Every structure is written in structure tokens, then in C-alpha cells.
Amino acid sequence: MLILGIESTCDETACAIVENGRNILSNIVSSQIDLHKEFGGVVPELACRRHVDVMLPILDQALTEANKSLKDIDAIAVARGPGLIGALLLGLQTAKTLSFALNKPLIGINHIEAHLYAAIMSHDQKITYPALGVVLSGGHTALVLIKDIGHYHLIGQTIDDAIGEAFDKVAKMLNLPYPGGPQIEQLAKKGNPQKFALKPGRVKNRPFDFSFSGLKTSVLYNAFGQNVTQRRPLSEQEMCDVAASFQAAALKDIFDKTLLAAKEQGCHTIIFGGGVTNNDTLRQMFNNSNYNYLWPSKGLSLDNAAMIAGLGYHKFLAGEIANLSLEAATSISF
Ligand code: KG4
Ligand code: ZN
């Protein structure tokens, strides 16, 4: 079964064609980093305009690369949220139009669920459920009990910033361009992670929730002193030390809470999803302990449409077919 996936939740426009939920025939992503770089974050209006410009060329490219035409497609899966409302509407409208014109089933996909599925489709192994899902993206941070594909129970989540957002904001403090995660990771390699004693946030009586906004503020004070309005320029080594200390504190928090949750929930398999899983330091940390870890392949870590098409196959088999009244959802919880 061939599914066309469409992704436009934030600043990537993507189309992919995936066979039977796993075999990726094409996976085209048009990133907007060049557009948002100078603003230190995604500008929604600019994102929408770019989605309009590139959506159809990206669709054509996905078909050409897969050596398929629209009539070969069996169903259309689209990320219906969470994300920026205007950006979501563009993907949704494209998917609905194709579904209507071609008379093919339409499937609405939760982008966050798809991030976890990206790791599942990256491996051939049969997964023993329940597994622990760890969502580490630019907009979300959550620990989820996965009872099966499509069946989840939320264990914990961030009460303020997402982990990727915290990386991006710390990078912005250091005058580094968006997206900040990869920049911080590179600087951290040359820095001393113990230079600043930074503590990740704890949420009272909720051991599996995250809070990164306090950590972000202590990075600011530690790097620039209390008088943040008159920031002195940091030396290159100081920048590296700030990046290393922040990254060490943030990743240790993820590490500790993930292993605690896996132990408490009796999960032996841990499935990771979201753009922050691109971080090799994070991957190395986890590979030192005794669980079965499933990471998305590097091409499926960041936003992409292969994960949307892949998960779409399972939703189709489960009979979860939408109609033209399918709505965009700026937030969806597990
Ligand atoms: O999952 P994603 O592509 O988009 C959302 O659904 O949000 O994640 C993007 C996030 C950005 O915040 C970016 O800075 C972060 O992933 N990221 C990283 C790395 N690569 C991307 N964070 C830390 N280290 C990285 N190497
Ligand atoms: Zn994402």
C-alpha cells in the first residue's frame, strides 16, 4: 500500500511516499532555516508563505523520486497538528484537495505521535510493548507509555519550555543563529560542562514532568552576571563553557527522568523521537545503560513526511479515515 505523507506543521515543507508503513520510496524536505535564521526563531507569516510556494514542487519531487504518479497513491496522510495554525492549514488543504480530486482516503496524523513512529520505522525489530516513548522536539517534551501503536498514556511533560526550545533560546542568548540545538552541541564539545553549576528544574510531586525555563534563566545569570541589560561579550571559551554546562544539565535531566520512568513502568524498550535526538551527546549518554533503545535514523529525526506517511499506514489499517471536515489542531495531547 502506497501512502503519500504531507508535513507542514512548522518550518519544514515535506512530502514522502512510503510503502506499507516502512519502505521509504521518497522523503523530500524543504527546510526554511535560511528564512528564519536572522530572526532567532520561526516567523509564522513567513513560514506560511514559503509553504505555499514550495508545497506543489515538493509534491512533484516526491512523486518523481519514487517513480510514481498520483494515481498510484492509495491514501493521503497529513500532519493535522500540533503546530502553527496557518502552516497546518496549508498542508491540510493540500491533502484534502488531493483526497477529493483523486477520491482517495484522507488520514489525519498527530505530528508528535509520528515522531515516535519515526524510530519504530527506522528498525526492523519487533517491539515488545509496553515501551517508553521519549519526545524531544522543538515544541514538545514528554514521556509517554506506549501500549501499542496508537495507544498511549502520558507520564510526564514539560510545564514550560520544550527541550529544543531551551536549546534555541540559550543559543539566542549567545547570539547564535536559529536553530540553536546543533550550534550548542558543537560549542559544547570544546567546553567544560562543570564550569557552571546549573540545575534542571524539578516540578513538585511530579517526578516525570520537566521545567526548562529556570535553567534557561540561570544560564543567563551565570553567563552574563545579574545585570543582564549590560551584557559583556563572552570569549569563545566562555561561550563553549556556557553551552557545555547548559547541555550537560539539560541532557542529564532527560536521562535521569527517562530511566526512572522506564524502571517504574517496567519498560525494557525506550523509543525516542523529535529533533533533539539528532544530538550525538544525548545518544551516547543513553547507550551506556541497559535498555533496548530505538532512535530514529538521522534522516527521520527532524520534521519529515516519511514518518507521517508511515504512521498513516497503521491508522488506515485501524480504520481511522478522516473526511473533508478534518480540522487543524494547534495542540493535541496524548
Ligand atoms: O522535531 P523538530 O524537527 O521540530 C519540532 O517538531 O519541534 O525539532 C526541532 C528542534 C529545534 O529546537 C532544534 O534546535 C533541535 O530540534 N535540534 C537539536 C539538535 N538538532 C536539532 N537540539 C540539540 N542538539 C542537536 N544536535
Ligand atoms: Zn517535529
Side-chain angles (χ1 to χ4, degrees):
M1 180 170 188
L2 285 186
I3 301 212
L4 164 67
I6 299 179
E7 155 66 38
S8 69
T9 55
C10 189
D11 59 340
E12 265 93 25
T13 321
C15 291
I17 293 166
V18 176
E19 189 183 34
N20 297 337
R22 192 167 281 269
N23 182 22
I24 301 173
L25 303 188
S26 64
N27 184 21
I28 311 294
V29 181
S30 166
S31 166
Q32 304 183 357
I33 287 177
D34 59 319
L35 195 63
H36 305 289
K37 213 173 181 171
E38 64 176 298
F39 301 102
V42 177
V43 183
E45 183 60 29
L46 295 180
C48 292
R49 289 182 198 193
R50 180 66 71 83
H51 285 308
V52 173
D53 290 344
V54 305
M55 182 62 82
L56 295 181
I58 292 297
L59 170 63
D60 279 343
Q61 210 179 323
L63 288 165
T64 307
E65 195 161 297
N67 203 14
K68 300 287 175 195
S69 71
L70 280 174
K71 67 174 179 8
D72 300 320
I73 301 299
D74 296 303
I76 297 137
V78 60
R80 60 176 286 258
L84 302 172
I85 185 66
L88 289 169
L89 288 172
L90 287 160
L92 223 59
Q93 208 52 38
T94 309
K96 285 181 185 178
T97 306
L98 290 169
S99 163
F100 179 70
L102 302 166
N103 196 21
K104 307 273 167 144
L106 176 70
I107 304 158
I109 297 291
N110 173 347
H111 173 92
I112 302 300
E113 185 185 353
H115 266 307
L116 291 175
Y117 184 74
I120 297 174
M121 75 187 287
S122 298
H123 301 270
D124 276 334
Q125 62 176 265
K126 183 158 170 31
I127 296 166
T128 312
Y129 294 105
L132 182 72
V134 186
V135 178
L136 303 171
S137 78
H140 296 84
T141 304
L143 296 173
V144 185
L145 184 69
I146 310 178
K147 298 171 195 164
D148 202 341
I149 294 174
H151 300 274
Y152 310 94
H153 173 73
L154 183 67
I155 295 169
Q157 62 185 330
T158 180
I159 59 160
D160 40 54
D161 292 341
I163 176 77
E165 193 179 355
F167 268 87
D168 294 339
K169 286 181 176 168
V170 169
K172 199 173 176 184
M173 278 178 214
L174 300 178
N175 273 329
L176 300 168
Y178 172 85
Q183 313 266 348
I184 295 283
E185 186 185 10
Q186 287 317 312
L187 285 186
K189 288 188 176 142
K190 295 173 275 169
N192 172 4
Q194 266 118 41
K195 180 77 185 182
F196 301 105
L198 301 173
K199 285 207 181 69
R202 298 256 168 270
V203 184
K204 206 173 165 199
N205 298 329
R206 286 154 68 180
F208 303 116
D209 278 353
F210 298 90
S211 168
F212 294 109
S213 85
L215 174 62
K216 195 184 60 192
T217 311
S218 41
V219 169
L220 187 67
Y221 289 153
N222 274 279
F224 299 103
Q226 295 287 331
N227 190 356
V228 291
T229 49
Q230 289 178 347
R231 293 188 199 177
R232 66 185 176 87
L234 300 183
S235 70
E236 205 179 316
Q237 189 55 50
E238 283 172 321
M239 300 249 291
C240 295
D241 291 342
V242 171
S245 302
F246 160 73
Q247 180 176 266
L251 297 188
K252 183 165 186 318
D253 190 36
I254 304 278
F255 181 78
D256 290 346
K257 287 174 182 163
T258 298
L259 293 193
L260 190 65
K263 194 170 165 206
E264 196 182 278
Q265 301 289 334
C267 299
H268 295 289
T269 296
I270 305 181
I271 299 175
F272 294 86
V276 179
T277 64
N278 246 343
N279 187 299
D280 288 321
T281 317
L282 174 81
R283 291 189 180 215
Q284 281 153 15
M285 260 172 116
F286 276 99
N287 285 334
N288 292 336
S289 69
N290 297 328
Y291 288 89
N292 176 30
Y293 297 110
L294 255 67
W295 298 94
S297 63
K298 282 289 175 97
L300 299 184
S301 286
L302 294 167
D303 288 351
N304 67 86
M307 66 184 190
I308 306 295
L311 182 57
Y313 172 72
H314 293 273
K315 298 292 170 188
F316 181 85
L317 293 183
E320 294 180 33
I321 311 296
N323 58 35
L324 295 182
S325 60
L326 178 68
E327 286 189 2
T330 51
S331 67
I332 307 177
S333 63
F334 274 99

